[in-house]
Amino acid sequence: MELWDAYYEDGTLAGLDLVRGEKIPEGLRHAVAEIFVVHKDKSILLMQRDFGKPNYPGLWENGASGSVIKGESPLEGAKRELFEETGIVAKDGLQSLYHIVSETTIYWGYLCVTDIPKEKVRLQEGETIAFKWVHEREFKEIFYSDQYVNTVRERLKDFVEKGSYLCGI
């Protein structure tokens, strides 16, 4: 059983536990960390979701993402998810990108710039089945296609259209 902290809409802790798979009570939310990964050579990491996943099986998304577990901050959850799903350690930290509130979720988005040897990315059984590093043109082709998770695309659309993921590299 996976436990999550409950949050109010403003991002403050509600002091209650939520259980993965159970209905989230009205007015409360759980936290999800999403990490957009860019290599120092300006290529972007795409991960393919396992075909056994109930939501968006086989589609591509950036880097890593997942629920923040009880007792973690969103940043701690992002670092954990990044390592679990890719093997990448955020040596230089993570840059905050966005904070989006939906009816049941608060999405905390981060940017990770890495110099990891590209072949060292690892897959997480049951979560991901493939990865690839792509440059901007191919990334945008996939990002705007039906091969990409549409809900993630909605959250990242402004960020991608501004090319913000390549700033400072």
Side-chain angles (χ1 to χ4, degrees), residues 2 5 8 18 24 27 29 35 43 45 59 61 72 74-75 91-92 95 97 101-102 106 118 128 130 133:
E2 184 175 308
D5 286 315
Y8 293 115
L18 301 173
I24 296 174
R29 286 148 181 85
I35 308 91
S43 59
L45 178 63
L59 297 185
E61 61 187 337
E72 284 183 325
L75 180 59
K91 294 188 304 189
D92 297 330
Q95 178 184 4
L97 294 179
V101 179
S102 76
I106 300 176
K118 291 181 176 183
T128 54
W133 292 95

Side-chain angles (χ1 to χ4, degrees), residues 40-58:
K40 287 192 175 178
D41 73 0
K42 299 185 179 186
S43 59
I44 299 149
L45 178 63
L46 290 177
M47 304 293 287
Q48 187 177 23
R49 295 172 61 85
D50 191 291
F51 282 102
K53 300 227 17 119
N55 298 317
Y56 312 107

Side-chain angles (χ1 to χ4, degrees), residues 24 30 42 80-81 94 102 117 121 135 154 161:
I24 296 174
H30 81 293
K42 299 185 179 186
R80 177 185 50 78
E81 287 289 345
L94 298 176
S102 76
V121 171
H135 285 281
E154 287 304 311
E161 288 178 358

Side-chain angles (χ1 to χ4, degrees), residues 20-161:
R20 181 183 202 108
E22 292 185 4
K23 186 177 184 325
I24 296 174
E26 191 172 329
L28 298 178
R29 286 148 181 85
H30 81 293
V32 169
E34 298 179 322
I35 308 91
F36 192 101
V37 180
V38 179
H39 197 274
K40 287 192 175 178
D41 73 0
K42 299 185 179 186
S43 59
I44 299 149
L45 178 63
L46 290 177
M47 304 293 287
Q48 187 177 23
R49 295 172 61 85
D50 191 291
F51 282 102
K53 300 227 17 119
N55 298 317
Y56 312 107
L59 297 185
W60 293 92
E61 61 187 337
N62 293 90
S65 64
S67 294
V68 175
I69 59 175
K70 181 174 175 52
E72 284 183 325
S73 69
L75 180 59
E76 291 167 337
K79 289 177 180 179
R80 177 185 50 78
E81 287 289 345
L82 179 64
F83 181 72
E84 286 177 358
E85 293 187 7
T86 68
I88 296 172
V89 175
K91 294 188 304 189
D92 297 330
L94 298 176
Q95 178 184 4
S96 181
L97 294 179
Y98 56 87
H99 171 226
I100 297 172
V101 179
S102 76
E103 192 172 315
T104 61
T105 308
I106 300 176
Y107 297 94
W108 299 85
Y110 297 93
L111 174 66
C112 173
V113 178
T114 185
D115 62 356
I116 185 176
K118 291 181 176 183
E119 69 281 358
K120 296 288 185 184
V121 171
R122 71 165 196 238
L123 303 174
Q124 183 181 19
E125 189 173 337
E127 292 288 330
T128 54
I129 57 171
F131 73 90
K132 60 182 171 180
W133 292 95
V134 297
H135 285 281
E136 187 173 26
R137 184 169 170 253
E138 184 179 357
F139 166 67
K140 286 187 174 181
E141 286 173 9
I142 294 169
F143 183 79
Y144 289 110
S145 77
D146 60 2
Q147 299 174 49
Y148 194 87
V149 177
N150 64 338
T151 55
V152 177
R153 180 176 41 247
E154 287 304 311
R155 288 189 292 279
L156 287 173
K157 194 172 182 181
D158 288 342
F159 173 71
V160 168
E161 288 178 358

